[in-house]
Amino acid sequence: MRVLFTTWAWPSHLYAMVPLAWAFRAAGHDVLVASQPELAGLTASTGLPGASVGADVDAVGLVRGYVLPSENGPADGAGQTPRSGKGPRAMQMFYAHADSMTDDLVRLARDWRADAVVFEPTALAGPIAAAAAGVPAVRLLYGADLMGRARGLLPQVLAPLAERNGVGAFDPFGALTVDPCPDGFQVPVDHPRLAMRYVPFNGPGGPPHPPLGPPGPGVQRVVVTWGHTMARLSPERFLAGQVARAIARPGLEVVLAVTAGQRALLGELPGESAGLVRVVEDTPLHLLVDDASLVVAHGGAGTVLTALRAGAPLLLVPQLPDHLGHSGRVVAIGAGEVLTRDEATGERLRAETEKLLAGDACRAAAVKLREQMLSLPAPAGLVAEIEARVVACAA
């Protein structure tokens, strides 16, 4: 089979597709990853073949418009995008990316002779391109199905793009949804899902040097990460350094997982010289969390699922709607706590961290979800079933 994967140019959305794309390649299928030109270099770093479609869109500017309101946030123009119409607030952003990508993606799907198009739930050019090429579309979730409530609206929203490419009626959710979330974590949905074990891909890279090793006797490890998104929106929204300064103390090892470009945003870390804080650059998160007693983060889907796969509870400070949605699922299963941006003072961060480290309930809930995750079939184990369903749909 020839399987065309597609996402708009955002690192975490690409990373969520890599394990299944590689599973298809390892099974002998041809794979191609299509996105806007901005993502070409990052796609190449995953080792997967890539193709550029459409034009780059000001994704950072669009995302900045959907930051959750707060009194203490920076005056950076965030949260200024007005709500228009129904459905998820970010639908305007998703449409802008689809408008950029659809025409080229349709041509690519036809010219490359794709047998199926795999798309992440916000890459709305995907199901249109599949319909135009006459092949099945497979929807690959990267976390909780927060787009589920928009299903009825999507055909109307996407109608101009579909008509432009000669597509009539089509299902914006495709023929099949592949879901990396266990039932206990997923939001209620009314469409069939194919369960898949979450396998983290948090970017290219290897373990830190020198290696972390297990925490010392009587020491608890807290991993702090703020993902890729918030620093791109505004340095003041990147709270990792603030968190480390608030929670560092003897008996606690704070590991700050950042990119090399984020290092300067951390500010002064007094605990670093005392050995209480360690900054680790460009190391994939899943290589750092196995021995963590707690993960403190922003609430992105990849970070949340990676922490839960390690059985680590979470303290989250969401600043975007999807981060809020995933934080809500963490609270719903009892695997962590959430603070708003305004609540995340040094005192509250310290108090919530100590409470989570001292208690067992959230860790037990995280370990339970880890067991559910590991009981699901790995991406490699699903390739044959997805292939059979694609062939059946195409027949």
Side-chain angles (χ1 to χ4, degrees):
M1 279 202 323
R2 289 172 171 257
V3 187
L4 179 61
F5 284 74
T6 189
T7 177
W8 52 278
W10 207 251
S12 56
H13 293 202
L14 168 67
Y15 291 166
M17 308 188 87
V18 169
L20 185 59
W22 266 110
F24 271 98
R25 286 209 76 186
H29 300 291
D30 291 327
V31 167
L32 186 64
V33 179
S35 187
Q36 293 145 320
E38 182 181 344
L39 205 65
L42 201 57
T43 299
S45 74
T46 70
L48 293 165
S52 293
V53 293
D56 289 326
V57 171
D58 181 14
V60 170
L62 289 167
V63 173
R64 190 177 286 128
Y66 301 102
V67 172
L68 298 172
S70 67
E71 294 183 3
N72 295 329
D76 56 4
Q80 300 303 310
T81 299
R83 181 182 293 276
S84 65
K86 301 178 181 179
R89 183 178 176 87
M91 188 61 72
Q92 294 163 267
M93 175 176 66
F94 302 150
Y95 184 88
H97 288 290
D99 188 30
S100 158
M101 295 173 61
T102 298
D103 297 357
D104 281 358
L105 191 64
V106 166
R107 283 190 286 270
L108 178 62
R110 288 170 172 162
D111 293 345
W112 191 62
R113 304 189 308 280
D115 295 300
V117 176
V118 179
F119 67 103
E120 51 90 355
T122 66
L124 302 178
I128 300 175
V135 300
V138 177
R139 183 170 172 259
L140 174 59
L141 301 181
Y142 52 74
D145 195 353
L146 304 179
M147 288 285 287
R149 63 191 179 96
R151 185 176 191 178
L153 299 170
L154 288 175
Q156 179 182 353
V157 170
L158 298 175
L161 305 183
E163 292 170 2
R164 198 164 78 199
N165 286 278
V167 173
F170 73 102
D171 189 341
F173 275 22
L176 173 66
T177 291
V178 178
D179 188 355
C181 296
D183 290 340
F185 185 84
Q186 187 56 270
V187 298
V189 296
D190 59 0
H191 50 273
R193 299 175 293 131
L194 183 61
M196 180 181 74
R197 183 187 311 167
Y198 175 73
V199 175
F201 181 85
N202 309 123
H209 299 287
L212 279 179
V219 175
Q220 292 176 293
R221 177 173 293 161
V222 178
V223 174
V224 179
T225 179
W226 234 252
H228 295 274
T229 297
M230 302 316 299
R232 297 179 70 187
L233 303 187
S234 170
E236 290 80 9
R237 297 192 181 278
F238 184 76
L239 306 183
Q242 175 182 322
V243 170
R245 284 187 288 274
I247 69 174
R249 62 162 173 79
L252 202 66
E253 179 191 26
V254 179
V255 176
L256 274 164
V258 300
T259 67
Q262 294 170 348
R263 180 63 174 88
L265 303 179
L266 295 174
E268 185 179 356
L269 299 170
E272 191 173 11
S273 59
L276 305 179
V277 176
R278 177 169 172 185
V279 179
V280 178
E281 297 180 9
D282 294 330
T283 295
L285 182 63
H286 70 273
L287 298 177
L288 303 174
V289 293
D290 281 346
D291 292 314
S293 297
L294 178 69
V295 174
V296 186
H298 58 301
T303 297
V304 167
L305 292 179
T306 298
L308 292 174
R309 190 179 186 275
L314 293 125
L315 174 59
L316 301 170
V317 186
Q319 298 180 78
L320 288 171
D322 62 310
H323 297 171
L324 182 63
H326 285 94
S327 299
R329 298 314 300 162
V330 169
V331 172
I333 65 171
E337 297 291 347
V338 177
L339 296 174
T340 68
R341 173 69 177 82
D342 291 332
E343 291 171 339
T345 62
E347 182 179 355
R348 283 296 302 277
L349 288 165
R350 189 161 47 251
E352 294 297 330
T353 295
E354 296 298 335
K355 183 176 74 172
L356 287 165
L357 290 172
D360 295 326
C362 289
R363 171 163 286 279
V367 169
K368 180 180 179 180
L369 197 76
R370 166 184 162 81
E371 293 170 351
Q372 294 174 9
M373 285 176 152
L374 296 181
S375 71
L376 299 175
L382 289 184
V383 170
E385 183 171 356
I386 295 173
E387 181 183 5
R389 296 198 187 196
V390 165
V391 171
C393 291

